[in-house]
Amino acid sequence: MPSKQPLIIDGKSISVKVKESLVPTIQKLKKQGVTPGLAVILVGDDSASQSYVRMKEKAFEAMELFSETFRLPEMTTQPELEQLIDELNREDRFHGILVQLPVPENLNELKIILKIDPGKDADGIHPVNLGRMVLGVEAPLPCTPHGILMLLKYSGIDPKGKHAVIIGRSNIVGKPIANLLWQKRALGNATVTLCHSRTKNLPALCQQADILISAIGQPHLIDRNYVKDGAVVIDVGINRVDDPAARRGYRLVGDVNYMDVIDKVAAITPVPGGVGPMTIAMLISNTVYLAEKSIQT
Ligand code: NDP
């Protein structure tokens, strides 16, 4: 059991630092007549997606950046959505385009992502940009994995030589964070194990982790049986659980049972207030990066 108090990795305050670090670039761009701009496309009325989009709108407004949300009905067709993306690809005021995922089942997510101009891919999930990321070539990085790297950086945690165990293999979190952590670069050089729902002996594998990252969407599944003494735990999960005492009738919890593991860990991200704010900060960072690139080419 670690003798020191665990470090609570405060994503809110680290996200503020990341956003502050972007201010000089934003000011420089504005002097050149460019205000970084983001187009957000939200299809349907999933309430979690609506609330994520509102948070993104507020964050852009607070940074005095431009954003516009295109709210489309649930029954939007693939050609209608692709036509909108084509139009946004051509509009100079938008340096970044983000389609809020997941989209309704009648839409083809991969085709949608492929429609976005890789030079406007604010989420960093277009195959061109993911390919560049894998090759270690400069690209807008996927927001949540990039945010996790920033959490580690600002907390003074170097993954070099550590064993990172990641649970979850989605295209937006698990696969890219695994890839970034083993790359030969700053905030990389870890040895990585990637787990998923077919992994056998998951608790035993997780117990080997110096850095344990959970992105599975299962409330409180990860308890102390999955955690090694002194581990760094990054909880990506955002899960709604019923809570009649809460104003909205639910509260948000992570994949990790925070109270159960807190006396074992060296550092941990809370939910909410851990990875979530970083995802938005990195979206802003990507939009600013894409705006800069747009005037260099
Ligand atoms: P997906 O829902 O796309 O995938 C979940 C992954 O977890 C899959 O690889 C699945 O395995 C694996 N999995 C599910 N259950 C188990 C289990 N019991 N044991 C082991 N593996 C399991 O994941 P996302 O990455 O989109 O989202 C994961 C969570 O992170 C969600 O709660 C989401 O809301 C949250 N999230 C938070 C963000 C933030 O900013 N904080 C950003 C993005 C997501 P298999 O592949 O075998 O099915």
Side-chain angles (χ1 to χ4, degrees):
M1 190 173 294
S3 51
K4 285 202 323 198
Q5 286 289 319
L7 170 69
I8 312 301
I9 302 176
D10 181 353
K12 271 193 199 160
S13 69
I14 296 174
S15 74
V16 170
K17 288 180 192 161
V18 168
K19 286 186 271 187
E20 279 169 2
S21 74
L22 297 170
V23 170
T25 311
I26 295 170
Q27 284 171 344
K28 202 171 123 205
L29 283 166
K30 284 190 175 176
K31 275 195 192 133
Q32 292 170 277
V34 176
T35 299
L38 176 73
V40 178
I41 302 175
L42 172 61
V43 188
D45 37 36
D46 176 75
S47 68
S49 292
Q50 284 180 348
S51 103
Y52 296 143
V53 166
R54 273 196 301 274
M55 284 193 270
K56 288 166 186 171
E57 287 170 336
K58 278 189 192 159
F60 271 71
E61 205 181 308
M63 295 284 292
E64 298 181 2
L65 300 174
F66 174 61
S67 85
E68 186 171 339
T69 302
F70 297 81
R71 290 182 164 78
L72 306 181
E74 184 87 19
M75 290 320 295
T76 301
T77 63
Q78 186 80 23
E80 285 168 342
L81 180 53
E82 290 188 13
Q83 191 190 334
L84 174 62
I85 296 172
D86 274 338
E87 285 165 20
L88 298 176
N89 280 338
R90 287 193 294 267
E91 284 209 33
D92 289 345
R93 65 199 170 120
F94 296 120
H95 307 97
I97 300 171
L98 172 144
V99 179
Q100 184 65 43
L101 302 176
V103 287
E105 272 174 15
N106 63 307
L107 297 172
N108 181 321
E109 194 171 293
L110 179 60
K111 278 188 171 172
I112 293 166
I113 295 168
L114 283 168
K115 261 284 155 189
I116 297 171
D117 175 347
K120 291 196 174 193
D121 174 24
D123 240 352
I125 56 172
H126 189 287
V128 167
N129 290 320
L130 287 176
R132 291 174 69 95
M133 181 199 78
V134 170
L135 296 174
V137 178
E138 191 186 289
L141 297 177
C143 297
T144 303
H146 196 190
I148 294 171
L149 293 191
M150 290 300 111
L151 287 175
L152 296 175
K153 177 182 170 182
Y154 280 84
S155 306
I157 299 164
D158 186 353
K160 183 165 68 178
K162 305 229 166 64
H163 184 196
V165 176
I166 295 149
I167 329 171
R169 55 179 164 184
S170 71
N171 290 337
I172 59 168
V173 187
K175 284 183 203 168
I177 190 61
N179 195 278
L180 289 165
L181 282 171
W182 59 245
Q183 286 197 7
K184 198 169 182 177
R185 47 168 268 170
L187 298 167
N189 289 310
T191 303
V192 176
T193 302
L194 183 58
C195 304
H196 44 77
S197 69
R198 313 291 162 88
T199 298
K200 292 207 168 79
N201 302 324
L202 185 62
L205 279 171
C206 292
Q207 273 177 19
Q208 295 172 25
D210 303 310
I211 299 174
L212 178 63
I213 301 177
S214 181
I216 55 177
Q218 303 284 342
H220 286 178
L221 182 89
I222 307 303
D223 63 17
R224 59 193 297 113
N225 297 315
Y226 290 71
V227 176
K228 176 169 93 169
D229 283 343
V232 172
V233 176
I234 306 290
D235 189 355
V236 183
I238 302 179
N239 307 291
R240 288 184 176 192
V241 293
D242 291 342
D243 182 354
R247 190 168 49 89
R248 295 193 177 99
Y250 67 85
R251 69 196 156 87
L252 298 178
V253 301
D255 293 342
V256 178
N257 188 335
Y258 185 93
M259 294 312 289
D260 196 49
V261 306
I262 190 73
D263 64 328
K264 290 190 87 178
V265 301
I268 187 166
T269 57
V271 176
V275 176
M278 295 305 294
T279 298
I280 295 180
M282 301 332 291
L283 176 65
I284 295 172
S285 170
N286 276 351
T287 307
V288 172
Y289 166 83
L290 294 170
E292 255 191 313
K293 287 276 156 205
S294 75
I295 56 171
Q296 284 168 9
T297 49

